Amino acid sequence: MKYVSLTVLCCAALLTATAQEKKKTDTLRINQRNTMDTVIMEDVETGERRKVRITIPGKDDGVITIEKSEKTYEFGNRDKDDQGDSDVKVTVEETRKAHPIYGITFSRIDLGLVKLIDNGSFTLSDNNRDFRYRPGKTVNFGFDLLQAGYRFNDNFRTFLSAGFDWTYIRLRENIDFLENTSPLAWETSSIDYSKNKLTATYLRLPLTFELRSKHYSGPGRLRFAFGPEGGFLLKGTQRFKSDELGKQKFKDDYNFTQFRYGAFARFGVGSFGIYAKYYFNDLFENSPDQAGLQTMAFGLMLGF
């Protein structure tokens, strides 16, 4: 499937991008101690010299915290009275103040399963029995490309993002949806389709409220995000595959809801996580027989 190949490319790009968010380790050399609480440090690789101030959080902590501007440097197991030159490993953790966030992104890549809900039940009613689908092949795929918002502190941020979202419904029945009809209409085909896929493509607009823990060495941050999501229909597509006619593709809106709205939640560690989405309005509009037919999706996510 095309979206699987796209997912692989997304993962490679995102792993490169997210590596920049993690802590970075520099090798620094303490060249001299000027006073009891000040040292001059030199980056071994670049030769950059920094004059910084040292504070010791506690007598028995065994950690010296070096404070300068908006960064925190941590030294492990170093005595404050050591003299002379020595090489040490320094972990640099950004602690920047509140600031706006905006720009191009490639994140929150979703790949999961879709469930149809018929008036609160996972069992389809008689009006919708032709919509029987293959659960393992009815999937959701999407990602964000733009975002703008504000980070209030290191543990909380909110932002509005924009991206694309696809719902692929793999139908069991040999039905052809009719184009340019309202309400939604279809007819049973005499052809035995080996593949019958109905697809809705949306521009998605989630508003995210994200909570983040401190940065843990190894796994990274724990993250929890939630919020409302809206979406505008871009197109509908039905694809067929059969021995008689080969591959066929038809485009129409198929009475998909023009604007859908719902809510989502995400939880993860580092760049990986899980997600769930539920849409409050119907899958189709102007189709009384399909009133109450809704969708939800859940699955794996890459890239907070």
Coordinates of all heavy atoms in Angstrom, one line a residue, residues 191-263:
I191 N -20.0 -8.4 -10.3 CA -18.6 -8.7 -10.3 C -18.1 -9.0 -8.9 O -18.5 -8.3 -8.0 CB -17.8 -7.5 -10.9 CG1 -18.2 -7.3 -12.4 CG2 -16.3 -7.8 -10.8 CD1 -17.6 -6.1 -13.0
D192 N -17.3 -10.0 -8.8 CA -16.7 -10.4 -7.5 C -15.4 -9.6 -7.3 O -14.4 -10.0 -7.9 CB -16.5 -11.9 -7.4 CG -16.0 -12.3 -6.1 OD1 -16.2 -11.6 -5.1 OD2 -15.4 -13.4 -5.9
Y193 N -15.5 -8.6 -6.5 CA -14.3 -7.8 -6.3 C -13.3 -8.4 -5.3 O -13.8 -8.8 -4.2 CB -14.7 -6.4 -5.8 CG -15.5 -5.6 -6.7 CD1 -16.8 -5.1 -6.4 CD2 -15.0 -5.3 -8.0 CE1 -17.5 -4.3 -7.3 CE2 -15.8 -4.5 -8.9 CZ -17.0 -4.1 -8.5 OH -17.7 -3.3 -9.4
S194 N -12.1 -8.5 -5.6 CA -11.1 -9.0 -4.6 C -10.7 -7.8 -3.7 O -10.2 -8.1 -2.6 CB -9.9 -9.5 -5.4 OG -9.3 -8.5 -6.2
K195 N -10.9 -6.6 -4.2 CA -10.7 -5.4 -3.3 C -11.7 -4.4 -3.6 O -12.0 -4.0 -4.8 CB -9.3 -4.8 -3.6 CG -9.0 -3.6 -2.7 CD -7.6 -3.0 -3.1 CE -6.5 -4.0 -2.7 NZ -5.1 -3.4 -3.0
N196 N -12.4 -3.9 -2.5 CA -13.4 -2.8 -2.7 C -13.1 -1.9 -1.5 O -13.5 -2.1 -0.4 CB -14.8 -3.4 -2.6 CG -15.9 -2.4 -2.9 OD1 -15.6 -1.2 -3.0 ND2 -17.1 -2.8 -2.9
K197 N -12.5 -0.7 -1.8 CA -12.1 0.2 -0.8 C -12.7 1.6 -1.0 O -12.6 2.2 -2.0 CB -10.6 0.3 -0.8 CG -10.0 1.2 0.3 CD -8.5 1.4 0.1 CE -7.7 0.1 0.2 NZ -6.3 0.3 0.1
L198 N -13.4 2.1 0.1 CA -13.9 3.4 0.1 C -13.1 4.3 1.0 O -12.8 3.9 2.2 CB -15.4 3.4 0.6 CG -16.2 4.7 0.7 CD1 -16.4 5.2 -0.8 CD2 -17.5 4.5 1.4
T199 N -12.6 5.4 0.5 CA -11.6 6.3 1.2 C -12.2 7.7 1.3 O -12.7 8.3 0.3 CB -10.3 6.3 0.4 OG1 -9.8 5.0 0.2 CG2 -9.3 7.1 1.2
A200 N -12.0 8.3 2.5 CA -12.3 9.7 2.7 C -11.0 10.4 3.1 O -10.2 9.9 4.0 CB -13.3 9.8 3.9
T201 N -10.7 11.5 2.4 CA -9.5 12.3 2.7 C -9.9 13.6 3.3 O -10.7 14.3 2.7 CB -8.7 12.5 1.3 OG1 -8.4 11.2 0.7 CG2 -7.4 13.2 1.6
Y202 N -9.3 13.9 4.4 CA -9.6 15.2 5.1 C -8.4 16.0 5.4 O -7.3 15.5 5.6 CB -10.3 14.8 6.5 CG -11.7 14.5 6.4 CD1 -12.1 13.2 6.1 CD2 -12.7 15.5 6.6 CE1 -13.5 12.9 6.1 CE2 -14.0 15.1 6.5 CZ -14.4 13.9 6.2 OH -15.8 13.5 6.2
L203 N -8.6 17.3 5.4 CA -7.6 18.2 6.0 C -7.9 18.3 7.5 O -9.0 18.7 7.9 CB -7.8 19.6 5.4 CG -7.0 20.8 6.1 CD1 -5.5 20.6 5.9 CD2 -7.4 22.1 5.5
R204 N -7.0 17.9 8.3 CA -7.3 17.8 9.8 C -6.7 19.0 10.5 O -5.6 19.5 10.1 CB -6.8 16.5 10.4 CG -5.3 16.4 10.5 CD -5.0 15.0 11.1 NE -3.6 15.0 11.6 CZ -3.0 13.9 12.0 NH1 -3.7 12.7 12.1 NH2 -1.7 13.9 12.5
L205 N -7.4 19.5 11.5 CA -7.0 20.7 12.3 C -7.2 20.4 13.8 O -8.2 20.8 14.4 CB -7.9 21.9 11.9 CG -7.8 22.3 10.4 CD1 -8.9 23.3 10.1 CD2 -6.4 22.9 10.1
P206 N -6.2 19.7 14.4 CA -6.3 19.4 15.8 C -5.8 20.6 16.7 O -4.8 21.2 16.3 CB -5.5 18.2 16.0 CG -4.5 18.2 14.9 CD -5.1 19.0 13.8
L207 N -6.5 20.9 17.8 CA -6.0 21.8 18.8 C -5.5 21.0 19.9 O -6.2 20.3 20.6 CB -7.1 22.8 19.2 CG -6.7 23.7 20.3 CD1 -5.6 24.7 19.9 CD2 -8.0 24.5 20.7
T208 N -4.2 21.0 20.2 CA -3.5 20.1 21.1 C -3.2 20.9 22.4 O -2.6 22.0 22.4 CB -2.3 19.5 20.5 OG1 -2.6 18.8 19.3 CG2 -1.6 18.6 21.5
F209 N -3.4 20.2 23.6 CA -2.9 20.6 24.9 C -2.0 19.5 25.3 O -2.5 18.3 25.5 CB -4.1 20.8 25.8 CG -5.1 21.8 25.4 CD1 -6.2 21.5 24.7 CD2 -4.9 23.2 25.7 CE1 -7.1 22.4 24.2 CE2 -5.8 24.1 25.3 CZ -6.9 23.8 24.6
E210 N -0.8 19.8 25.5 CA 0.2 18.7 25.7 C 0.9 18.9 27.1 O 1.4 20.0 27.4 CB 1.3 18.7 24.6 CG 2.3 17.6 24.8 CD 3.3 17.6 23.7 OE1 2.9 17.7 22.5 OE2 4.5 17.4 24.0
L211 N 1.0 17.9 27.9 CA 1.7 17.8 29.2 C 2.9 16.9 29.0 O 2.8 15.8 28.4 CB 0.7 17.3 30.2 CG -0.6 18.0 30.5 CD1 -1.5 17.2 31.4 CD2 -0.3 19.4 31.0
R212 N 4.0 17.4 29.5 CA 5.3 16.7 29.4 C 6.0 16.6 30.7 O 6.0 17.5 31.5 CB 6.2 17.4 28.3 CG 5.5 17.7 27.0 CD 6.5 18.2 26.0 NE 7.1 19.4 26.4 CZ 8.0 20.1 25.6 NH1 8.5 19.5 24.5 NH2 8.5 21.2 26.0
S213 N 6.6 15.4 30.9 CA 7.4 15.2 32.1 C 8.8 15.8 31.9 O 9.1 16.3 30.8 CB 7.4 13.7 32.5 OG 8.3 13.1 31.5
K214 N 9.6 15.7 32.9 CA 11.0 16.0 32.7 C 11.7 15.0 31.8 O 11.1 14.0 31.5 CB 11.7 16.1 34.1 CG 11.9 14.7 34.7 CD 12.6 14.8 36.1 CE 12.9 13.4 36.7 NZ 13.6 13.5 37.9
H215 N 12.9 15.3 31.4 CA 13.6 14.5 30.4 C 14.3 13.4 31.2 O 15.1 13.6 32.0 CB 14.6 15.3 29.6 CG 15.0 14.6 28.3 ND1 15.7 13.4 28.3 CD2 14.8 14.9 27.0 CE1 15.9 13.1 27.1 NE2 15.4 13.9 26.3
Y216 N 13.9 12.1 30.9 CA 14.6 11.0 31.5 C 15.7 10.4 30.6 O 15.4 10.3 29.4 CB 13.6 9.8 31.8 CG 12.5 10.2 32.9 CD1 11.3 10.6 32.5 CD2 12.8 10.2 34.2 CE1 10.3 11.0 33.4 CE2 11.9 10.6 35.2 CZ 10.6 10.9 34.7 OH 9.7 11.3 35.7
S217 N 16.8 10.1 31.1 CA 17.9 9.5 30.3 C 17.4 8.2 29.8 O 16.9 7.4 30.5 CB 19.2 9.4 31.1 OG 18.9 8.5 32.2
G218 N 17.6 8.0 28.5 CA 17.1 6.7 27.9 C 15.8 6.9 27.1 O 15.8 7.3 25.9
P219 N 14.7 6.7 27.8 CA 13.4 6.8 27.0 C 13.0 8.2 26.6 O 12.3 8.4 25.7 CB 12.4 6.2 28.0 CG 13.0 6.5 29.4 CD 14.5 6.3 29.2
G220 N 13.5 9.2 27.4 CA 13.0 10.6 27.0 C 11.9 11.0 27.9 O 11.7 10.6 29.1
R221 N 11.0 11.9 27.4 CA 9.9 12.4 28.2 C 8.7 11.5 28.1 O 8.4 10.9 27.1 CB 9.5 13.8 27.6 CG 10.5 14.9 27.7 CD 10.0 16.2 27.1 NE 10.9 17.3 27.0 CZ 11.0 18.2 28.0 NH1 10.3 18.2 29.0 NH2 11.9 19.2 27.8
L222 N 7.9 11.6 29.1 CA 6.5 11.1 29.1 C 5.6 12.2 28.6 O 5.7 13.3 29.1 CB 6.1 10.6 30.5 CG 6.8 9.4 31.1 CD1 6.3 9.1 32.5 CD2 6.6 8.1 30.2
R223 N 4.7 11.9 27.7 CA 3.9 12.9 27.1 C 2.4 12.5 27.1 O 2.1 11.3 26.7 CB 4.3 13.3 25.7 CG 5.8 13.7 25.6 CD 6.2 13.8 24.1 NE 7.6 14.1 23.9 CZ 8.1 15.3 23.6 NH1 7.3 16.3 23.3 NH2 9.4 15.5 23.4
F224 N 1.5 13.4 27.4 CA 0.1 13.2 27.2 C -0.5 14.4 26.6 O -0.3 15.5 27.0 CB -0.5 12.9 28.6 CG -2.0 12.8 28.5 CD1 -2.6 11.7 27.9 CD2 -2.8 13.8 29.1 CE1 -4.0 11.6 27.8 CE2 -4.2 13.7 29.0 CZ -4.8 12.6 28.4
A225 N -1.2 14.1 25.5 CA -1.9 15.2 24.7 C -3.3 14.9 24.5 O -3.7 13.7 24.3 CB -1.1 15.4 23.4
F226 N -4.1 15.9 24.4 CA -5.6 15.8 24.2 C -6.1 17.1 23.6 O -5.5 18.1 23.6 CB -6.3 15.4 25.4 CG -6.2 16.5 26.5 CD1 -7.2 17.4 26.6 CD2 -5.1 16.5 27.4 CE1 -7.1 18.4 27.6 CE2 -5.0 17.5 28.3 CZ -6.0 18.5 28.4
G227 N -7.3 17.0 23.0 CA -8.0 18.2 22.5 C -9.0 17.9 21.5 O -9.2 16.7 21.1
P228 N -9.6 18.9 20.9 CA -10.6 18.7 19.9 C -9.9 18.7 18.5 O -8.8 19.2 18.3 CB -11.5 20.0 20.0 CG -10.5 21.0 20.5 CD -9.6 20.3 21.4
E229 N -10.6 18.1 17.6 CA -10.1 18.0 16.2 C -11.2 18.2 15.2 O -12.3 17.6 15.3 CB -9.4 16.7 15.9 CG -8.9 16.6 14.5 CD -8.2 15.2 14.2 OE1 -7.4 14.8 15.0 OE2 -8.6 14.6 13.2
G230 N -11.0 19.1 14.2 CA -11.9 19.4 13.1 C -11.3 18.9 11.8 O -10.1 18.8 11.8
G231 N -12.1 18.8 10.8 CA -11.6 18.3 9.5 C -12.5 18.7 8.4 O -13.7 18.6 8.5
F232 N -11.9 19.1 7.3 CA -12.6 19.5 6.1 C -12.4 18.4 5.0 O -11.2 18.0 4.7 CB -12.2 20.8 5.5 CG -12.6 22.0 6.4 CD1 -11.7 22.5 7.4 CD2 -13.8 22.6 6.3 CE1 -12.0 23.5 8.2 CE2 -14.2 23.7 7.1 CZ -13.3 24.1 8.1
L233 N -13.5 17.9 4.4 CA -13.4 16.9 3.4 C -12.7 17.4 2.1 O -13.0 18.5 1.6 CB -14.8 16.4 3.0 CG -14.8 15.3 1.9 CD1 -14.2 14.0 2.5 CD2 -16.2 15.1 1.5
L234 N -11.7 16.7 1.7 CA -11.0 17.1 0.4 C -11.5 16.3 -0.7 O -11.7 16.8 -1.8 CB -9.5 16.9 0.6 CG -8.8 17.7 1.7 CD1 -7.3 17.4 1.8 CD2 -9.0 19.2 1.4
K235 N -11.7 15.0 -0.5 CA -12.2 14.1 -1.6 C -12.6 12.8 -1.0 O -12.2 12.4 0.1 CB -11.2 13.9 -2.7 CG -10.0 13.1 -2.3 CD -9.0 12.9 -3.4 CE -7.8 12.1 -3.0 NZ -6.9 11.8 -4.1
G236 N -13.5 12.1 -1.8 CA -13.8 10.7 -1.6 C -13.4 9.9 -2.8 O -13.3 10.3 -3.9
T237 N -13.0 8.6 -2.5 CA -12.5 7.7 -3.6 C -13.1 6.3 -3.3 O -13.1 5.9 -2.2 CB -11.0 7.7 -3.6 OG1 -10.5 9.0 -3.6 CG2 -10.5 6.9 -4.8
Q238 N -13.4 5.6 -4.4 CA -13.7 4.2 -4.3 C -12.8 3.5 -5.3 O -12.8 3.8 -6.5 CB -15.2 3.9 -4.6 CG -15.5 2.4 -4.3 CD -17.0 2.1 -4.4 OE1 -17.8 2.8 -5.1 NE2 -17.4 1.0 -3.8
R239 N -12.1 2.5 -4.8 CA -11.2 1.7 -5.6 C -11.7 0.2 -5.7 O -12.0 -0.3 -4.7 CB -9.8 1.7 -5.1 CG -9.1 3.1 -5.2 CD -7.7 3.1 -4.6 NE -7.0 4.3 -4.7 CZ -7.0 5.3 -3.9 NH1 -7.8 5.3 -2.8 NH2 -6.3 6.4 -4.1
F240 N -11.6 -0.3 -6.9 CA -12.0 -1.7 -7.1 C -10.8 -2.5 -7.7 O -10.0 -1.9 -8.4 CB -13.2 -1.8 -8.1 CG -14.4 -1.1 -7.7 CD1 -14.7 0.2 -8.3 CD2 -15.3 -1.6 -6.7 CE1 -15.8 0.9 -7.9 CE2 -16.4 -0.9 -6.4 CZ -16.7 0.4 -7.0
K241 N -10.8 -3.8 -7.4 CA -9.9 -4.7 -8.1 C -10.6 -6.0 -8.3 O -11.2 -6.6 -7.4 CB -8.7 -4.9 -7.2 CG -7.6 -5.8 -7.9 CD -6.4 -5.9 -7.0 CE -5.3 -6.8 -7.7 NZ -4.1 -6.9 -6.8
S242 N -10.6 -6.5 -9.6 CA -11.3 -7.7 -9.9 C -10.6 -8.3 -11.1 O -9.8 -7.7 -11.8 CB -12.7 -7.4 -10.3 OG -12.8 -6.6 -11.5
D243 N -10.8 -9.6 -11.3 CA -10.2 -10.3 -12.4 C -10.8 -9.9 -13.7 O -10.1 -9.8 -14.8 CB -10.4 -11.9 -12.3 CG -9.7 -12.5 -11.1 OD1 -8.7 -11.8 -10.7 OD2 -10.1 -13.5 -10.6
E244 N -12.1 -9.5 -13.7 CA -12.7 -9.1 -15.0 C -12.3 -7.7 -15.5 O -12.0 -7.5 -16.7 CB -14.3 -9.1 -14.8 CG -14.9 -10.5 -14.5 CD -14.8 -10.8 -13.0 OE1 -14.1 -10.2 -12.3 OE2 -15.6 -11.7 -12.7
L245 N -12.2 -6.7 -14.5 CA -11.9 -5.4 -14.9 C -10.6 -4.8 -14.5 O -10.3 -3.7 -14.8 CB -13.1 -4.5 -14.4 CG -14.5 -4.8 -14.9 CD1 -15.5 -3.9 -14.3 CD2 -14.6 -4.7 -16.4
G246 N -9.9 -5.6 -13.7 CA -8.6 -5.1 -13.2 C -8.8 -4.1 -12.1 O -9.8 -4.2 -11.3
K247 N -7.9 -3.1 -12.1 CA -8.0 -2.0 -11.1 C -8.9 -0.8 -11.6 O -8.7 -0.4 -12.8 CB -6.6 -1.5 -10.7 CG -5.8 -2.5 -10.0 CD -4.5 -1.9 -9.6 CE -3.6 -2.9 -8.8 NZ -2.3 -2.4 -8.4
Q248 N -9.8 -0.3 -10.8 CA -10.6 0.8 -11.2 C -10.6 1.8 -10.0 O -10.5 1.5 -8.9 CB -12.0 0.4 -11.5 CG -12.2 -0.5 -12.7 CD -13.6 -1.0 -12.8 OE1 -14.1 -1.8 -12.1 NE2 -14.3 -0.4 -13.8
K249 N -10.8 3.1 -10.4 CA -10.8 4.2 -9.4 C -11.8 5.2 -9.8 O -11.8 5.7 -10.9 CB -9.4 4.8 -9.2 CG -9.3 5.9 -8.2 CD -7.8 6.4 -8.2 CE -7.7 7.6 -7.2 NZ -6.3 8.1 -7.2
F250 N -12.6 5.6 -8.8 CA -13.7 6.6 -9.1 C -13.6 7.7 -7.9 O -13.4 7.3 -6.8 CB -15.1 6.0 -9.2 CG -15.2 5.0 -10.3 CD1 -15.0 3.7 -10.0 CD2 -15.5 5.4 -11.5 CE1 -15.1 2.7 -11.0 CE2 -15.6 4.4 -12.6 CZ -15.4 3.1 -12.3
K251 N -13.8 8.9 -8.3 CA -13.8 10.0 -7.3 C -15.1 10.7 -7.2 O -15.8 11.0 -8.2 CB -12.7 11.0 -7.7 CG -11.3 10.5 -7.6 CD -10.3 11.6 -8.0 CE -8.9 11.1 -7.9 NZ -7.9 12.2 -8.2
D252 N -15.5 11.0 -5.9 CA -16.8 11.7 -5.6 C -16.8 12.0 -4.2 O -15.9 11.4 -3.4 CB -18.0 10.8 -6.0 CG -19.3 11.7 -6.0 OD1 -19.4 12.6 -6.8 OD2 -20.1 11.4 -5.1
D253 N -17.6 12.9 -3.7 CA -17.6 13.1 -2.2 C -18.4 12.0 -1.5 O -18.3 11.9 -0.3 CB -18.2 14.5 -1.9 CG -19.6 14.6 -2.3 OD1 -20.3 13.6 -2.7 OD2 -20.1 15.8 -2.2
Y254 N -19.2 11.2 -2.2 CA -20.0 10.1 -1.7 C -20.7 10.4 -0.4 O -20.8 9.6 0.5 CB -19.0 8.9 -1.5 CG -18.5 8.3 -2.7 CD1 -17.1 8.4 -3.0 CD2 -19.3 7.7 -3.7 CE1 -16.6 7.9 -4.2 CE2 -18.7 7.2 -4.8 CZ -17.4 7.3 -5.1 OH -16.9 6.8 -6.3
N255 N -21.2 11.7 -0.3 CA -21.9 12.1 0.8 C -21.2 12.1 2.1 O -21.8 12.1 3.2 CB -23.3 11.4 0.9 CG -24.3 11.8 -0.1 OD1 -24.1 11.5 -1.3 ND2 -25.3 12.5 0.3
F256 N -19.8 12.0 2.1 CA -19.1 12.1 3.3 C -19.3 13.4 4.0 O -19.5 14.4 3.3 CB -17.6 12.0 3.0 CG -17.1 10.6 2.8 CD1 -16.5 10.2 1.6 CD2 -17.2 9.6 3.8 CE1 -16.1 8.9 1.4 CE2 -16.8 8.3 3.6 CZ -16.2 7.9 2.4
T257 N -19.3 13.5 5.3 CA -19.5 14.8 6.0 C -18.5 15.8 5.6 O -17.3 15.5 5.6 CB -19.5 14.5 7.5 OG1 -20.5 13.6 7.9 CG2 -19.6 15.8 8.3
Q258 N -19.0 17.0 5.2 CA -18.0 18.0 4.7 C -17.1 18.5 5.8 O -15.9 18.8 5.5 CB -18.8 19.1 4.0 CG -19.5 18.7 2.8 CD -18.6 18.4 1.6 OE1 -17.6 19.0 1.4 NE2 -18.9 17.3 0.9
F259 N -17.7 18.7 7.0 CA -16.9 19.1 8.1 C -17.2 18.2 9.3 O -18.3 18.0 9.7 CB -17.2 20.5 8.5 CG -16.5 21.0 9.8 CD1 -15.1 21.3 9.7 CD2 -17.1 21.0 11.0 CE1 -14.4 21.7 10.8 CE2 -16.4 21.4 12.2 CZ -15.1 21.8 12.1
R260 N -16.1 17.5 9.7 CA -16.3 16.6 10.8 C -15.6 17.1 12.1 O -14.6 17.9 12.0 CB -15.8 15.2 10.5 CG -14.3 15.1 10.3 CD -13.8 13.7 10.0 NE -12.4 13.6 9.9 CZ -11.7 12.5 9.6 NH1 -12.4 11.4 9.3 NH2 -10.4 12.5 9.6
Y261 N -16.1 16.8 13.2 CA -15.5 17.2 14.5 C -15.5 16.1 15.5 O -16.4 15.3 15.5 CB -16.2 18.5 15.0 CG -17.7 18.3 15.2 CD1 -18.2 17.8 16.4 CD2 -18.5 18.6 14.1 CE1 -19.6 17.7 16.5 CE2 -19.9 18.4 14.3 CZ -20.4 18.0 15.5 OH -21.8 17.8 15.7
G262 N -14.5 16.1 16.3 CA -14.4 15.1 17.4 C -13.3 15.4 18.4 O -13.0 16.6 18.6
A263 N -12.8 14.4 19.0 CA -11.8 14.6 20.1 C -10.7 13.5 19.9 O -11.0 12.4 19.4 CB -12.4 14.6 21.5

